[in-house]
Amino acid sequence: MAPQGRQEILEGAMAVAHAVARCRPEVIAAYPITPQTHISEELSTIVADGELQAEFVKVESEFGAASVCLGASAAGARAYTATSSQGLMLMAEVLWNIAGMRLPVVLACANRSVSAPLSIWCDHQDADSIRDCGVIQLHAEDAQEAVDQHVIAFKAAEDRRVLLPVMVNLDGFLLTHVFEPVELPDQALCDAFLGKYEALYKLDPGDPMSFGCFTEPDKCMEGRWMIHDACLRSAAVIEEVSAAFARTFGRNSGGLLEEYKSADADTVLVAKGSICGTIKDVVDELRDKGRRVGLVRIKTFRPFPRDRIVAAVRGAKRITVVEKGGSFGSGGVVTPELKDALYDAGLRIPVSGFCVQLGGREVAPDGIQEIIDRVEKGEQVHYEYFRLKKAILPDLVP
Amino acid sequence: MSAKLSMDKLSIGCVCLPGGSIGNHTGAWRSMMPVFKHAACIGCRACELVCPEGCVFENPGKKHLVEKLKREIADRDFDPDYCKGCGMCAEECPVDDIDMGLEEK
Ligand code: SF4
Ligand code: SF4
């Protein structure tokens, strides 16, 4: 185990598992699914080796995993799970309940395409499609952030002003399976930072109670509003916890947004996840040639940091969202939320939305550059599947 | 710890103590209503056990004579505040002593 200040070369998923262990969850329940499996596999080894005093519950499905975490959290335990893609879909019903019962379960989503067609590779459609259920969503750009955001996730989730589940998104394979230099959070610092989880209410046979009780129409809206309100207000808590994390551990891994050379940029790209590494390289290259390009990276997708994004992009001449997802029959997921925020702020900056990397297709720097070139020539795109290969579509498609 | 948790004033996570859902009057859902006839009822309690609302009860002090058994049996009745009209009691009664009728509101 690395002392504070020492980097190790670790696989992303392994690094996350060891970081989670240092947050001392008392109950872990998970079901294997590529590309998440290494996280839960490594955690089960850590528990079996006696390095972490926790109950590792082997379950029959992700529905079971989420349900075990729900029950454990309601009983006052710090609970953790990890999943991907179809596994997250299977958890969906339980996640709504976890959020509604205001249980601070932390989970990782190793982002992966959702079937069909079957694909094990990365995109964001799994996480994006559960955006409405009250789960706070953080997005990591690299393995170090994925590690650190787990510590931030537990702290923010368990804050009495929040009490909501937090999901740390890390791109499947691109982050889970890549070896990078990572500094694990020091155990003593982690213990001091998180403290012990004290539940507001907990299941106890000696003092029985029910969670998420039935509400008649005269009360249900208020029950739902409390989730919305807590999720909105969690933005400030995430920033506060992230600042405290930076002071304690010396790294700026949390927060709502990262503004990368965007302050004076004419063309601002907006994206989340590991693709931001590629975008930053392109931004650097174009900046060297004198082009005013920048990136605003979404680190917290739920709650959606409306005001912060508007403030970060308001000087731009054009905004281009590069997203690994979308809503069939509508368009993007991030793109319309950004437009919504701009509209309310009275800003009519042209916004384009590009869908890239579905099912893990690579977008090299030249792809990002092509997108920037097109919008800088005046093109404005509502939502486009970037570099769609029309030649391989069946004749039935017009 | 949480002496007053109920669904009248909501708590974080809509948590409540046993009995805390007493204010949820499921009787408002009903379109059919049972009629306990107090004629052939043999007091088997099937209706009490199957009622999903737990709202069938033995009415203290009220009895009917069952001629076949040649003895008096305590009346079963239901609480209209909670009976949602599902008809399970009528379906399960072995002596057909519960009818379901349309409730006019
Ligand atoms: S109709 Fe249903 S709810 Fe009403 S008393 Fe019978 S079993 Fe109970
Ligand atoms: S089920 Fe019928 S017979 Fe049995 S207690 Fe109820 S009303 Fe009486």
Side-chain angles (χ1 to χ4, degrees):
Chain A
M1 294 296 153
Q4 175 78 352
R6 207 188 92 194
Q7 283 189 329
E8 296 172 271
I9 305 297
L10 290 174
E11 190 205 55
M14 298 281 182
V16 164
H18 283 276
V20 168
R22 290 177 185 203
C23 297
R24 299 197 198 273
E26 294 155 286
V27 175
I28 302 164
Y31 190 81
I33 181 168
T34 303
Q36 169 282 124
T37 307
H38 289 182
I39 300 176
S40 49
E41 208 171 57
E42 185 69 4
L43 275 167
S44 76
T45 305
I46 293 169
V47 173
D49 287 350
E51 289 172 33
L52 171 68
Q53 294 303 311
E55 192 84 29
F56 189 99
V57 185
K58 296 186 201 91
V59 286
E60 86 302 342
S61 71
E62 288 86 353
F63 183 88
S67 299
V68 166
C69 287
L70 182 155
S73 186
R78 185 173 284 162
Y80 179 77
T81 185
T83 191
S84 292
S85 178
Q86 312 303 126
L88 188 67
M89 299 299 103
L90 200 48
M91 281 185 183
E93 189 214 313
V94 190
L95 292 175
W96 281 80
N97 274 298
I98 291 173
M101 295 181 193
R102 308 293 298 279
L103 301 170
V105 173
V106 170
L107 68 154
C109 179
N111 302 109
R112 162 184 156 180
S113 187
V114 180
S115 287
L118 179 60
S119 163
I120 60 167
W121 310 108
C122 174
D123 63 45
H124 288 174
Q125 287 198 289
D126 53 2
D128 288 353
S129 64
I130 60 132
R131 67 181 180 175
D132 298 334
C133 72
V135 175
I136 290 168
Q137 291 203 35
L138 311 180
H139 277 271
E141 180 182 330
D142 55 27
Q144 183 69 63
E145 269 194 5
V147 158
D148 295 344
Q149 285 183 358
H150 272 84
V151 183
I152 291 166
F154 279 108
K155 181 83 175 164
E158 292 169 7
D159 190 293
R160 286 280 167 92
R161 293 166 291 175
V162 178
L163 294 178
L164 284 172
V166 179
M167 181 163 91
V168 178
N169 290 287
L170 68 159
D171 286 345
F173 293 106
L174 300 168
L175 296 186
T176 54
H177 285 58
V178 166
F179 282 75
E180 286 181 9
V182 175
E183 188 179 321
L184 289 173
D186 175 73
Q187 184 65 70
L189 288 181
C190 221
D191 287 344
F193 187 72
L194 290 178
K196 203 179 147 34
Y197 169 51
E198 296 290 346
L200 177 60
Y201 303 117
K202 65 177 173 189
L203 290 179
D204 173 1
D207 181 18
M209 56 182 74
S210 306
F211 283 61
C213 291
F214 177 81
T215 47
E216 288 284 6
D218 67 339
K219 298 191 186 76
C220 189
M221 274 185 76
E222 286 70 21
R224 310 304 286 165
W225 180 84
M226 288 195 288
I227 306 169
H228 177 56
D229 179 59
C231 197
L232 284 178
R233 285 190 294 115
S234 73
V237 177
I238 290 166
E239 293 208 280
E240 190 184 301
V241 169
S242 300
F245 181 90
R247 282 195 304 277
T248 308
F249 295 92
R251 288 185 299 276
N252 244 320
S253 294
L256 305 175
L257 287 183
E258 183 195 14
E259 298 175 47
Y260 187 80
K261 303 187 178 177
S262 57
D264 66 338
D266 295 329
T267 303
V268 170
L269 277 74
V270 175
K272 56 183 164 77
S274 66
I275 197 174
C276 293
T278 310
I279 295 175
K280 285 174 181 174
D281 285 347
V282 176
V283 165
D284 289 347
E285 237 171 75
L286 295 180
R287 282 274 171 182
D288 285 347
K289 293 177 189 155
R291 287 168 70 177
R292 282 148 60 115
V293 182
L295 165 73
V296 170
R297 175 164 69 99
I298 296 173
K299 297 169 90 172
T300 300
F301 179 54
R302 277 293 176 278
F304 191 68
R306 285 168 68 85
D307 299 344
R308 286 288 315 280
I309 289 200
V310 167
V313 302
R314 68 180 317 136
K317 294 206 171 81
R318 62 197 75 80
I319 302 164
T320 303
V321 182
V322 179
E323 51 178 315
K324 297 192 192 187
S327 176
F328 302 129
S330 173
V333 171
V334 181
T335 313
E337 296 202 21
L338 173 65
K339 283 184 184 169
D340 170 58
L342 290 172
Y343 189 89
D344 282 356
L347 295 169
R348 298 304 308 270
I349 306 166
V351 176
S352 291
F354 287 89
C355 171
V356 303
Q357 281 192 335
L358 290 194
R361 180 173 306 174
E362 193 194 5
V363 174
D366 74 292
I368 302 297
Q369 171 127 20
E370 182 184 324
I371 288 172
I372 296 170
D373 290 343
R374 281 175 56 189
V375 295
E376 288 196 342
K377 278 188 195 117
E379 225 185 299
Q380 191 184 339
V381 170
H382 169 252
Y383 176 70
E384 176 186 302
Y385 272 54
F386 183 61
R387 290 184 174 169
L388 189 72
K389 293 186 203 162
K390 292 240 167 80
I392 65 167
L393 297 175
D395 297 338
L396 280 170
V397 176
Chain B
M1 120 180 50
S2 13
K4 278 217 172 81
L5 287 177
S6 79
M7 293 305 284
D8 297 331
K9 186 156 174 67
L10 297 175
S11 61
I12 303 287
C14 295
V15 173
C16 68
L17 295 177
S21 290
I22 211 99
N24 294 327
H25 290 153
T26 43
W29 303 5
R30 186 175 61 225
S31 58
M32 302 289 282
M33 189 155 80
V35 179
F36 285 71
K37 295 189 284 192
H38 307 141
C41 166
I42 52 172
C44 73
R45 310 194 100 112
C47 49
E48 291 173 46
L49 294 171
V50 299
C51 175
E53 292 302 322
C55 72
V56 180
F57 58 96
E58 189 182 307
N59 209 337
K62 290 190 73 191
K63 292 185 169 95
H64 59 277
L65 181 72
V66 183
E67 287 190 14
K68 247 192 191 164
L69 301 179
K70 297 192 173 46
R71 64 184 170 94
E72 287 191 317
I73 297 288
D75 287 356
R76 262 71 196 177
D77 280 305
F78 71 100
D79 186 337
D81 279 352
Y82 299 100
C83 165
K84 58 189 176 192
C86 68
M88 282 169 66
C89 52
E91 183 67 29
E92 294 300 328
C93 176
V95 292
D96 236 350
D97 202 41
I98 308 169
D99 282 346
M100 293 300 292
L102 195 63
E103 185 183 14
E104 315 250 348
K105 287 187 188 167

